[in-house]
């Protein structure tokens, strides 16, 4: 859609320029430069003039320029307009400070002025161009214009029939509205992209585009057309000057952000920084009254920036290192874009600096510069986004395949573990039978039986961990009495005689009894295995600080290894160095932690100076 719109814009520019021609009644153009800024018209008429073609382009100068225009006589084909037998002097561009006309057929004796320092409501014909109405004549005559401006002395003058001048104005208005709409669409696209990605470079483009839209509206004359009643002409003139500086600054900032992806050499970063630092200097010059110097420096930046970027693309980018970087454009495409940048930048800057002549279309080259560069920058961002999207699609496909492979591997591991556990359990059962057939009172038999139980316990816990990680363990929430669950866990422990349970028989819990029993049994087993041998382990249910909850505490004295590490105690496979004296897997407390998350139970380790305390905060049933 953007490609068709942009093609239509350029086609309309070409067709419109060919259509809105009309006869230009100026048959000779000449100028005189008054360096003293003090000469009168009569004095200037005695000075030698220099002829020029089509457009006056004298750059930033403190001089006053007098233009002598020879106006041809009208013929029988002349069309009388609503203004009578009049011609219109049409002047572009419209950022010039002051233009005064001297027409020998004007007998009013009034000074006739146009410019961005003049009241727009006093214009002889209100439009987006400067204009004067002059009488048509059957004889050729000289009409003089006096130009004095702090901006660039860049001026294109036509003397047209009134209807032809109206056609030029209407076409200009149509094209500027079309360009404005296109620039706004680019801004909206960028805003939507930024909302989706929050990329810094998209934000830089939004800033650049927003500033340029305001600059476009002011430069094209819409501020003057719609805001002249609310603001003084000097304020609107200063606004345009500030927007000119801001447009260049945000353009430099965008390019500095854009080339971050290209890992440019350190020496190549300093010109960007220098051009950015020129902005506050230009604003300072603007504030102290050196408007012409500030604008001249700004226009030099407009000219040098694309030239510098072309050098940067050719010599400052390590292309070999960036071959796999999806955010980087191909070298040939980046060079092509910057050739266009260089051309359009020169077209806008050279006439403004007085280094090149131009024609009527050249007066709008600044607007075309902003439009074309905006389209190119957006194209670069679209290309970049497309490459990133393609890489994301590939990455997602690879990640999806890796996930499938991982799932297959995990299922194979699970089947292997199930098979291994089954074979181990069978072997352990046989060992238990063999040990049981002998003298169970012997010390070796007891050690063998304990080893078998520990191995069986490790296998059970590995199975639980595998089932939990594969999300095969399902919760079954229900209400149940807590005391019978604790008594059952004590009866199944390895040392029930060491466990002292304190719990009100009326306490009921809302949770999964099977998983909670595993959690309590693991806490008891942990205390029995690693606590002080033969010491009493307290399992107490106490009122909680949280309303509607009770705290289940398992308290024991620390064993010879001391207190558990609070930062590691719930980590998977964690076992302190002293714990390796006893068979274990390092999964007991890890399982409790995972189950507590599944059941929304608060699990905490709250030791005192002499006691190891684990606490479960359980929700009571209503």
């Amino acid at each position: 859609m953007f490609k068709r719109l942009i093609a239509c814009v350029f086609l309309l520019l070409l067709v419109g320029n060919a259509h809105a021609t009309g006869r230009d009644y100026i048959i000779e153009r000449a100028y005189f430069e008054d360096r003293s800024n003090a000469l009168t018209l009569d004095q200037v008429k005695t000075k030698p003039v220099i002829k020029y073609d089509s457009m006056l382009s004298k750059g930033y100068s403190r001089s006053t320029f007098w233009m002598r225009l020879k106006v041809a006589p009208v013929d029988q084909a002349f069309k009388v307009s609503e203004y009578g037998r009049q011609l219109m002097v049409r002047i572009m561009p419209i950022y010039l400070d002051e233009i005064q006309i001297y027409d020998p057929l004007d007998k009013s004796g009034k000074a006739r002025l146009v410019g961005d320092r003049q009241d727009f409501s006093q214009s002889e014909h209100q439009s987006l161009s400067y204009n004067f109405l002059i009488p048509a004549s059957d004889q050729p005559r000289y009409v003089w214009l006096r130009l004095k401006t702090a901006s660039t002395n860049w001026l294109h003058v036509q003397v047209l029939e009134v209807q032809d001048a109206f056609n030029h104005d209407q076409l200009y208005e149509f094209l500027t509205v079309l360009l404005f709409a296109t620039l706004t669409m680019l801004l909206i696209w960028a805003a939507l992209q930024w909302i989706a990605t929050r990329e810094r470079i998209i934000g830089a483009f939004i800033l650049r585009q927003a500033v340029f839209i305001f600059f476009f509206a002011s430069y094209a004359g819409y501020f003057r057309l719609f805001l002249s009643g609310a603001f003084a002409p000097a304020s609107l003139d200063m606004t345009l000057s500030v927007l000119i500086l801001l447009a260049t600054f945000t353009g430099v900032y965008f390019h500095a952000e854009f080339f971050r992806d290209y890992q440019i050499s350190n020496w190549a970063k300093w010109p960007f920084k220098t051009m950015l630092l020129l902005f506050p200097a230009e604003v300072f010059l603007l504030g102290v009254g050196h408007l012409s110097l500030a604008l001249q420096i700004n226009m030099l930046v407009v000219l040098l920036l694309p030239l510098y970027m072309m050098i940067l693309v050719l010599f400052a980018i390590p292309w070999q290192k960036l071959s796999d970087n999806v955010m980087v454009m191909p070298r040939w495409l980046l060079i092509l874009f910057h050739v266009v940048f260089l051309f359009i930048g020169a077209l806008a800057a050279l006439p403004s600096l007085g280094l090149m002549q131009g024609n009527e279309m050249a007066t709008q080259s600044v607007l075309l510069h902003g439009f074309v560069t905006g389209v190119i920058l957006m194209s670069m961002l679209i290309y970049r986004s497309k490459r990133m999207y393609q890489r994301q699609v590939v990455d997602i496909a690879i990640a999806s395949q890796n996930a499938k492979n991982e799932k297959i591997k995990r299922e194979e591991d699970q089947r292997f573990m199930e098979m291994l556990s089954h074979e181990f359990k069978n072997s352990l059962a046989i060992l238990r039978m063999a040990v049981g057939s002998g003298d169970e009172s012997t010390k070796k038999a007891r050690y063998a039986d304990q080893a078998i139980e520990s191995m069986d316990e490790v296998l059970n816990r590995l199975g639980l961990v595998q089932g939990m990680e594969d999300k095969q363990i399902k919760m079954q929430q229900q209400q149940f009495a807590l005391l019978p669950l604790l008594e059952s866990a004590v009866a199944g422990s390895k040392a029930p005689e060491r466990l002292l349970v304190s719990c009100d028989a009326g306490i009921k819990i809302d949770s999964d009894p099977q998983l909670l029993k595993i959690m309590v049994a693991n806490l008891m087993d942990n205390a029995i295995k690693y606590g002080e041998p033969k010491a009493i382990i307290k399992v107490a249910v106490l009122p909680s600080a949280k309303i509607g909850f009770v705290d289940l505490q398992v308290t024991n004295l620390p064993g010879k290894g001391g207190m558990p590490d609070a930062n590691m105690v719930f980590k998977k496979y964690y076992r302190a160095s002293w714990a390796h004296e006893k068979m274990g897997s390092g999964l007991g407390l890890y399982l409790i932690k995972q189950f507590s998350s599944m059941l929304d139970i608060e699990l905490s380790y709250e030791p005192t100076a002499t006691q190891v305390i684990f606490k479960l905060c359980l929700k009571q049933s209503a």
Side-chain angles (χ1 to χ4, degrees), residues 418-438:
E418 288 175 353
M419 181 271 296
L420 198 62
S421 296
H422 177 73
E423 294 301 323
F424 267 111
K425 284 182 177 291
N426 287 339
S427 298
L428 290 175
I430 294 171
L431 286 173
R432 184 176 285 111
M433 290 175 59
V435 171
S437 63

Side-chain angles (χ1 to χ4, degrees), residues 174-186 212-214 216-217 222 371:
F174 172 74
L175 292 178
T176 52
V177 168
L178 184 60
L179 292 176
F180 186 85
T182 305
L183 293 173
T184 303
M185 289 182 64
L186 301 185
F212 188 81
I213 286 174
F214 282 100
F216 179 93
Y222 288 100
F371 170 74

Side-chain angles (χ1 to χ4, degrees), residues 362-401:
T363 61
Q364 306 310 323
S365 61
V366 174
L367 297 181
L368 291 176
H369 173 269
F371 170 74
V372 173
T373 54
V375 169
I376 291 176
L377 296 180
M378 187 207 68
S379 301
M380 293 164 67
L381 293 178
I382 288 177
Y383 181 89
R384 180 177 180 273
S385 298
K386 184 178 180 180
R387 288 281 302 272
M388 292 177 66
Y389 173 74
Q390 291 172 342
R391 173 56 65 87
Q392 288 174 355
V393 169
V394 172
D395 290 344
I396 290 172
I398 292 173
S400 177
Q401 186 60 46

Side-chain angles (χ1 to χ4, degrees), residues 230-265:
F231 298 94
S235 299
L236 295 177
D237 179 40
M238 182 58 70
T239 300
L240 174 58
S241 299
V242 172
L243 287 172
I244 290 173
L245 303 183
L246 268 175
T248 303
F249 172 77
T250 53
V252 174
Y253 174 69
F254 171 82
H255 287 290
E257 288 297 318
F258 177 81
F259 280 105
R260 277 191 175 193
D261 294 335
Y262 290 78
Q263 301 178 22
I264 58 175
S265 305

